[in-house]
Each structure stands twice: as C-alpha cells, then as structure tokens.
C-alpha cells in the first residue's frame, strides 16, 4: 500500500516529463537549458523510483517472499549497457575492459541494478571528471568484475560497514 502511494505520483511525474520532452523535441519551444532541467527532473524521479524498488525488495526479503529468476546472462553486455546509460549523465570517463562475453547464471534485472549502483557510487566518490574503469576477467571457473575509480577510498576500519544496508562510510 505504501509503495503504491509513493510510486503513483512518481509515475505521473515521470510520464509528464517524458511527454514534454517528446513535444519539445518536435516543436522545440523551450531553450536547451530547460530541456536539461526536464532531464534532471526525470533522472531524479527515476532514482527515487529505483530506491523505492530496492526498499520493496528488502521488505520482500524480510517477509521471505523474495524470488530470483536465474537464466544465462552475459555480464559484460549488461555492464556495457549500464556504462552507456551512465555516460549520459556524467562528465566522468567510463571505461570497459576485458571479456566481451562473460556468461553467468543470474537475475539480469537485479545484476543490472547492482552494477548501476556500484558504478554510480564510484562516480560519486571520484573527482568530477575522473575515470571509472570496469574490468571483467575470468579466473578458473569464476568471473571477476573489478570497478576502480580515482576517489580517496574507504578507511580500512570501515570496509565491513560498506556492505551493510543503508550504511554510509567516510572516504579518505
């Protein structure tokens, strides 16, 4: 019920922004800066929607109603798609290196969300025009995904906290 109450206004907001973007592309009655403002509104609404989806999934986990749909997934392709989408919203240089095809069994939508979150965090804690590199490697029967950035890093005593839900750690 709460999710519906939160999601409905977001859906309406995103729908109207997308409608205005389409109208403006054809008639172009607004200046470029206004188009950028609409893009920012839509981006922020989508981020709130993604956060809401994460909260819903955490609630499902707590209730024991969480399910994962596993299928063969090329994580290299998913990572390239995530990087492509993130390039539209940043001045960072986003680089992909490594295997063109790295197949795993997984839930593609959830992998995409996790990769997007990790790469977004790397961007957020890097200098504004820094480089974020995503590498995909194979070692024995494992796929390794490494994300590196030019940020200060996490204090060693806080590394375990970085993987707790809703925790924030100091950098540097």
């Amino acid at each position: 019920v709460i999710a519906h109450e939160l999601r409905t206004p977001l859906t309406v907001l995103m729908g109207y922004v997308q409608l205005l973007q389409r109208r403006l592309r054809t008639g172009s009655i607004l200046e470029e800066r206004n188009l950028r403002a609409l893009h920012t509104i839509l981006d922020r609404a989508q981020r709130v929607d993604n956060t809401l989806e994460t909260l819903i999934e955490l609630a499902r986990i707590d209730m024991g109603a969480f399910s994962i749909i596993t299928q063969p997934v090329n994580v290299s392709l998913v990572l390239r798609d995530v990087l492509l989408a993130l390039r539209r919203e940043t001045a960072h240089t986003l680089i992909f290196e490594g295997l063109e095809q790295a197949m795993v069994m997984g839930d593609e939508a959830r992998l995409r969300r996790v990769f997007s979150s990790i790469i977004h965090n790397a961007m957020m804690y890097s200098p504004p025009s820094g480089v974020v590199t995503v590498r995909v490697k194979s070692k024995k029967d494992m796929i390794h995904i490494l994300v590196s950035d030019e940020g200060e890093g996490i204090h060693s005593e806080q590394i375990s906290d970085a993987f707790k839900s809703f925790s924030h750690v100091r950098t540097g």
Side-chain angles (χ1 to χ4, degrees):
V1 174
I2 293 173
H4 176 74
E5 294 300 319
L6 292 171
R7 182 162 279 146
T8 300
L10 278 175
T11 302
V12 171
L13 176 66
M14 290 186 297
Y16 275 107
V17 169
Q18 290 168 336
L19 174 66
L20 284 172
Q21 284 177 324
R22 282 193 300 274
R23 286 181 180 171
L24 292 172
R25 282 190 196 108
T26 58
S28 194
I29 58 173
L30 285 180
E31 299 172 0
E32 180 64 29
R33 66 188 175 112
N34 293 327
L35 288 171
R36 284 193 307 270
L38 283 173
H39 174 75
T40 301
I41 292 167
L42 180 60
D43 177 66
R44 297 304 181 255
Q46 288 170 332
R47 285 187 188 180
V48 171
D49 189 54
N50 288 340
T51 300
L52 180 59
E53 185 62 34
T54 300
L55 290 171
I56 291 168
E57 283 190 7
L58 289 171
R60 287 182 183 138
I61 291 170
D62 286 345
M63 294 185 311
F66 183 76
S67 64
I68 295 177
I69 302 167
T70 58
Q71 60 187 16
V73 178
N74 182 351
V75 292
S76 292
L77 183 61
V78 172
L79 285 163
R80 284 181 177 279
D81 287 348
V82 167
L83 290 172
L84 181 64
L86 291 174
R87 278 187 187 111
R88 296 182 189 126
E89 66 180 62
T90 187
H92 290 86
T93 301
L94 303 178
I95 299 171
F96 176 88
E97 295 178 350
L99 300 173
E100 292 298 318
Q101 187 164 350
M103 301 302 293
V104 300
M105 291 298 291
D107 186 317
E108 183 174 340
R110 287 189 173 90
L111 286 170
R112 185 175 302 275
R113 195 170 309 135
V114 168
F115 295 154
S116 182
S117 177
I118 291 169
I119 296 166
H120 189 268
N121 282 344
M123 291 165 33
M124 191 166 50
Y125 292 105
S126 289
S129 59
V131 176
V132 175
T133 304
V134 177
R135 292 179 183 86
V136 179
K137 298 179 177 182
S138 176
K139 200 176 211 179
K140 296 185 183 179
D141 61 345
M142 302 278 290
I143 300 294
H144 295 261
I145 299 166
L146 300 96
V147 177
S148 60
D149 61 56
E150 297 175 334
E152 296 180 23
I154 300 171
H155 293 281
S156 59
E157 66 272 6
Q158 291 187 309
I159 289 177
S160 63
D161 293 337
F163 298 99
K164 295 178 183 171
S165 295
F166 305 109
S167 68
H168 290 276
V169 295
R170 291 178 290 122
T171 59

